[in-house]
Amino acid sequence: MVKGNGVAAAMAERSWPRSLTEVPYWVFQDEDVYEAEQANIFHGPFWSYLCLEAELAEPGDFCATFIGEQPVLVTRDHDGEVYAFENRCAHRGALIAMEHYGHAREFTCVYHAWTYNLQGDLTGVAFEKGINGKGGMPESFCKAAHSPRRLRLANVHGLIFGSLDNDVPDIEEYLGQEVLDRIERVLGGRKPVVLGRFTQTLPNNWKLYVENVKDSYHASILHLFFTTFGLNRLSQKGGIIVSESGAHHVSWSAIDREAEADRYYKEQNIRSESEYQLEDPSLVDSFSEVGDDITLQILSVAPGFVLQQIQNSIAVRQILPTGVDRTNLNWTYLGFEDDTEEQRLIRMKQSNLVGPAGYVSMEDGAIGGFVQRGIAGASTEFATVQMGGDQAVSSESRVTEASIRSFWKVYREAMGFSIEEAA
């Protein structure tokens, strides 16, 4: 339940329509809701993506990241194991590590020089014994009792997940077999190589971006590049996988080696064609990623992780809330150690498809802000998510909002909102 009496009282006043097809706009606007999310979701029984194992290749490598707004430090120690602990000095609360990525033998807080090893143990306190027998820490002070809280960790094909809740289910149970299989499809048996990174600031609530990721049917409507160059159309073979828990999803599509008809888009006057052409058409040249015909796979893990394959652009995305109407979106672009030179070049070219200014995804960076602004005076109103029915289940059609409904089902249960009785 929500921690804090004031927030708990505010949550008790909130009710949610019984139907999964209505989403109240206040959930994107209310500061009390945002505060409760930090406790119930990001500090709750959820696994949050932290970093790639490949980013911790050598003992001493570290990554400073977040779970929600909680700063976290992930390291590889000399025993070869990966550890994670709160990036907060046990003395006065300053950050232990300042850089996002780096290499260290140990960590020393800049404020008062308290020192921690790579497992997060407090190992040194400056002037612990005082000077000339005066001052210093009391005799009863125990360094072992003053170490940052450690996280529970899981490694899924080189993806490092962490949780601040020791009661979170094992990662295999949490994800479910279908999602595990789809992660393995992209990452299994291959060693990732980081090709580049971006951080993008979104002017909207974090859940609007989660909705966008799970919304498979907007892709070939909003993203003109997809349909102009035939990379993704709803008429292609594909589907939606909703995990058994409802928390995670996979959207996928495959090329049809027979000519695709464009009539579905033309009949509905959807902007599926344009006069734009590529100066370098090789941008959309591709190779079979893992020996199948799937050219697009978007996979999400609640609360804020995305693994993408768009053609040969492989990336992970980390969704981090920074305020009720602000979100940081971290992109990490991947290649693989066994890529040929030609394959690496294709990946580098196709990195232009995604990211803050990507030919495909730049609209996603704006649309959440459009929604946040559009609902400013509508806190008592509701969004409708009826496409594909009212269920939250897997579908052979991508013309559905089933995975959005499944997210809200899990979310409202985690938050403890009361559900309105049917009329």
Side-chain angles (χ1 to χ4, degrees):
M1 292 300 293
V2 181
K3 298 177 176 63
N5 292 334
V7 175
M11 292 302 99
E13 297 176 358
R14 295 295 191 189
S15 63
W16 198 291
R18 178 163 295 277
S19 172
L20 293 174
T21 64
E22 291 184 303
V23 180
Y25 285 136
W26 50 256
V27 79
F28 305 111
Q29 302 169 318
D30 196 305
E31 291 282 357
D32 286 339
V33 170
Y34 179 79
E35 182 180 343
E37 289 168 351
Q38 299 301 315
N40 289 12
I41 294 179
F42 295 102
H43 283 245
F46 289 80
W47 286 101
S48 291
Y49 170 75
L50 300 178
C51 65
L52 294 161
E53 185 180 18
E55 294 172 305
L56 307 171
E58 301 295 332
D61 289 350
F62 70 86
C63 169
T65 183
F66 295 84
I67 293 181
E69 291 190 341
Q70 170 67 55
V72 170
L73 194 54
V74 192
T75 68
R76 188 180 293 277
D77 197 6
H78 293 282
D79 62 2
E81 297 297 318
V82 175
Y83 296 86
F85 46 92
E86 293 178 333
N87 186 6
R88 183 180 68 243
C89 181
H91 179 211
R92 301 276 288 279
L95 292 172
I96 297 171
M98 302 291 188
E99 301 297 325
H100 290 305
Y101 299 92
H103 185 88
R105 291 167 52 186
E106 60 185 8
F107 300 99
T108 301
C109 176
V110 298
Y111 200 178
H112 297 94
W114 285 34
T115 302
Y116 302 86
N117 65 20
L118 293 169
Q119 296 186 24
D121 301 316
L122 177 63
T123 56
V125 174
F127 302 114
E128 180 179 0
K129 302 300 182 183
I131 297 177
N132 296 326
K134 298 179 179 180
M137 301 298 286
E139 289 293 329
S140 60
F141 178 76
C142 175
K143 288 194 284 289
H146 291 80
S147 297
R149 177 170 49 155
R150 286 184 181 165
L151 279 65
R152 187 173 168 188
L153 290 181
N155 186 332
V156 182
H157 296 294
L159 304 172
I160 304 298
F161 290 88
S163 181
L164 292 160
D165 189 327
N166 286 328
D167 293 328
V168 66
D170 290 343
I171 193 72
E172 293 80 9
E173 178 186 350
Y174 182 81
L175 294 175
Q177 194 58 52
E178 287 184 301
V179 173
L180 281 168
D181 288 346
R182 288 297 181 135
I183 294 174
E184 182 178 19
R185 176 188 165 271
V186 176
L187 299 178
R190 302 203 282 179
K191 186 174 181 179
V193 176
V194 175
L195 301 182
R197 300 184 181 95
F198 284 104
T199 295
Q200 180 178 6
T201 300
L202 305 176
N204 52 265
N205 187 274
W206 67 278
K207 298 183 295 296
L208 286 172
Y209 189 78
V210 171
E211 276 197 331
N212 178 273
V213 168
K214 291 177 176 288
D215 177 357
S216 56
Y217 107 93
H218 85 276
S220 58
I221 300 172
L222 177 65
H223 303 311
L224 185 58
F225 192 94
F226 265 155
T227 47
T228 296
F229 299 102
L231 299 185
N232 182 27
R233 294 177 181 266
L234 290 172
S235 51
Q236 291 175 327
K237 179 182 178 182
I240 298 291
I241 298 170
V242 175
S243 68
E244 185 175 349
S245 70
H248 327 300
H249 102 292
V250 182
S251 173
W252 64 277
S253 64
I255 58 173
D256 189 338
R257 300 200 177 275
E258 298 179 359
E260 287 276 352
D262 297 334
R263 63 181 178 85
Y264 300 103
Y265 289 84
K266 292 178 180 177
E267 288 173 358
Q268 300 184 61
N269 197 29
I270 292 175
R271 54 176 201 143
S272 60
E273 295 179 345
S274 77
E275 72 279 8
Y276 296 113
Q277 299 295 320
L278 289 170
E279 186 70 24
D280 179 8
S282 70
L283 176 70
V284 294
D285 288 347
S286 63
F287 57 93
S288 179
E289 187 62 49
V290 292
D292 58 25
D293 286 339
I294 294 177
T295 55
L296 184 143
Q297 177 180 292
I298 304 296
L299 181 152
S300 71
V301 173
F305 170 76
V306 182
L307 171 63
Q308 72 159 57
Q309 175 212 342
I310 301 176
Q311 300 289 97
N312 300 117
S313 176
I314 311 296
V316 296
R317 311 177 201 168
Q318 182 187 34
I319 305 167
L320 294 175
T322 58
V324 70
D325 58 359
R326 299 182 309 279
T327 302
N328 280 349
L329 179 60
N330 295 329
W331 300 76
T332 305
Y333 299 86
L334 304 180
F336 296 94
E337 200 171 65
D338 59 357
D339 283 345
T340 66
E341 186 175 337
E342 181 182 7
Q343 288 172 332
R344 182 63 53 83
L345 178 60
I346 289 172
R347 294 196 196 281
M348 294 299 290
K349 285 185 176 182
Q350 290 185 6
S351 68
N352 290 288
L353 297 177
V354 293
Y359 295 143
V360 172
S361 65
M362 60 181 166
E363 295 94 344
D364 290 331
I367 200 67
F370 295 166
V371 175
Q372 195 78 46
R373 289 157 56 190
I375 66 175
S379 61
T380 61
E381 302 295 327
F382 301 86
T384 181
V385 284
Q386 299 184 60
M387 187 63 69
D390 61 1
Q391 299 301 303
V393 295
S394 300
S395 170
E396 293 182 358
S397 170
R398 288 177 295 141
V399 190
T400 180
E401 292 167 320
S403 54
I404 299 176
R405 291 188 289 270
S406 69
F407 167 75
W408 289 118
K409 181 177 183 290
V410 171
Y411 173 87
R412 71 186 191 181
E413 290 172 357
M415 292 290 286
F417 294 121
S418 60
I419 306 302
E420 293 179 0
E421 294 299 326

